[in-house]
Each structure stands twice: as C-alpha cells, then as structure tokens.
C-alpha cells in the first residue's frame, strides 16, 4: 500500500539557463542537470522510492532514468505528466515575451490560474490532468513512488492540493515535494526541497 508520493522536477536544461520558455518543446540537460539527476537518484534511494513515473518529455525522462539507475528501480511514463503547454510562447525568451506583452507575465510566472497563452493551457487545465495521474500513481503496488515532472505542472498540482497561488510553489531543478496520505487525501507541509548535494560522486 502506498505511503508516500514524491513530486520532483527534472534537471537543469540549456533553455533553463538561457531563460527560454520550454513547455512541450525540449532542450538537453546541462552538465549541472546531469549532476542534479544523479543527486536526485541518491535522494530517492534514501527516501525508499521503488518506482518512478515520469513525463515522457526527454528532459524529464532522462532525469528519471538516471535517478532510477542509482535508486535501483524501474521507470514508467504517463503522458499526463508533461509540462504545461505555453502555446505560441514556447521557445521564446521569457523576459522578452513579458516585455512585449504584460499579459504573458501571468502565464510565464504562474500568477493567474485562468490565463493561457494562445494555443496553450491554463493552470486549471494542467491540474485537471495532473491530479488523476497522481491518483493512478497511488494505485501502483509500491510503498513509495516518485513522480518526475515539470515546474509549472508541479506548481499547478500543489496549488490545487494546498489551496494557495501556484506562484508560491515554484520548484528549482530537481527540487522535490513529499506528499503523504491523510484521511484519503494527498497532503504536504514542505515543498521544493533540495537534493542532498550536487556532487558527481
């Protein structure tokens, strides 16, 4: 019976460093991102994780596979764990997009759950697919499962569970949040925890 879910973000990517909106687009992990993934693997092992469910986007799946090799567990994927779609903003430099049109600040900084970029998703849309994905992860035959996903997907999920603004739940690369069950509900009291270290050992 599941006791804990660990929500974690992927490692640093080249577009993270460049300040570009990724969404469903992708960019490779940096060397720092690879080190973060290895450190996440050690952390997940210490937490007793025995399975990882990952977003199929390459940056998340590679992070998950690196972490799983270290933690000694298997990886499965769930399409509902992909990052928020930023529509026409994907690939744009975040600062430039916000300067061009102040409306995009609410999207790129996750400050308004009902606003979407052209062709993109609202945070409400993201939570509506993420929460059922977590319920399915709960049903897996493991005591501790990690869900490896993306920054705004995590923010939308925690906002839905915790009742606060999504912007307050931002996660750094490979930051993680432990979720536990209380009266049949997923709850948390800490978020965006850092992996123990980023050493390449």
């Amino acid at each position: 019976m599941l006791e804990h879910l660990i929500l974690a973000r992927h490692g640093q990517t080249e577009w993270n460093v460049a300040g570009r909106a990724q969404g469903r687009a992708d960019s490779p992990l940096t060397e720092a991102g690879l080190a973060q993934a290895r450190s996440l693997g050690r952390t997940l092992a210490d937490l007793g994780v025995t399975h990882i469910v990952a977003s199929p986007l390459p940056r998340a799946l590679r992070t998950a596979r690196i972490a799983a090799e270290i933690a000694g567990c298997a990886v499965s994927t769930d399409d509902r764990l992909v990052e928020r779609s930023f529509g026409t903003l994907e690939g744009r430099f975040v600062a430039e997009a916000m300067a061009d049109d102040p409306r995009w600040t609410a999207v790129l900084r996750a400050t308004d759950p009902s606003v979407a970029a052209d062709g993109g998703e609202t945070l409400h849309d993201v939570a509506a697919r993420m929460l059922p994905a977590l319920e399915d992860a709960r049903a897996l035959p493991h005591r501790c499962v990690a869900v490896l996903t993306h920054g705004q997907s995590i923010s939308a999920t925690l906002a839905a569970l915790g009742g606060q603004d999504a912007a307050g739940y931002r996660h750094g690369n490979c930051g993680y949040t432990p979720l536990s069950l209380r009266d049949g509900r997923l709850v948390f009291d800490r978020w965006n925890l850092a992996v123990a270290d980023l050493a390449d050992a």
Side-chain angles (χ1 to χ4, degrees):
M1 180 185 230
L2 185 132
E3 296 177 356
H4 298 283
L5 275 177
I6 309 296
L7 269 179
R9 187 183 176 202
H10 61 80
Q12 183 191 76
T13 69
E14 292 179 2
W15 280 17
N16 289 151
V17 175
R20 296 174 69 176
Q22 293 182 118
R24 304 290 175 80
D26 209 70
S27 67
L29 296 181
T30 62
E31 286 302 315
L34 295 171
Q36 289 167 343
R38 291 188 285 271
S39 191
L40 179 63
R42 293 190 287 273
T43 297
L44 296 183
D46 289 344
L47 292 171
V49 168
T50 54
H51 189 80
I52 299 175
V53 185
S55 157
L57 293 179
R59 62 188 184 271
L61 188 54
R62 187 167 190 204
T63 301
R65 287 174 171 161
I66 291 169
E69 184 174 358
I70 291 169
C73 63
V75 177
S76 60
T77 61
D78 188 327
D79 290 345
R80 295 170 294 182
L81 300 177
V82 295
E83 177 61 303
R84 177 185 189 178
S85 171
F86 290 127
T88 55
L89 295 179
E90 290 185 5
R92 292 198 61 186
F93 289 99
V94 171
E96 178 185 274
M98 293 191 301
D100 284 350
D101 190 332
R103 291 180 302 159
W104 301 145
T105 300
V107 175
L108 296 168
R109 295 295 184 229
T111 57
D112 188 331
S114 62
V115 174
D118 298 336
E121 291 179 292
T122 68
L123 290 171
H124 290 315
D125 294 332
V126 176
R129 59 175 167 78
M130 285 288 297
L131 294 175
L134 294 189
E135 288 301 312
D136 286 349
R138 279 179 57 179
L140 293 171
H142 298 274
R143 294 181 64 184
C144 189
V145 174
V147 174
L148 204 300
T149 181
H150 305 267
Q152 289 216 12
S153 292
I154 294 174
S155 295
T157 302
L158 296 185
L161 293 174
Q164 297 184 32
D165 292 339
Y169 293 123
R170 292 186 62 153
H171 275 55
N173 293 114
C174 283
Y176 69 96
T177 291
L179 301 174
S180 57
L181 289 172
R182 189 178 302 154
D183 298 325
R185 294 182 61 249
L186 289 170
V187 297
F188 61 96
D189 53 20
R190 299 175 299 157
W191 60 90
N192 191 29
L193 304 181
V195 289
D197 65 85
L198 298 182
D200 195 19

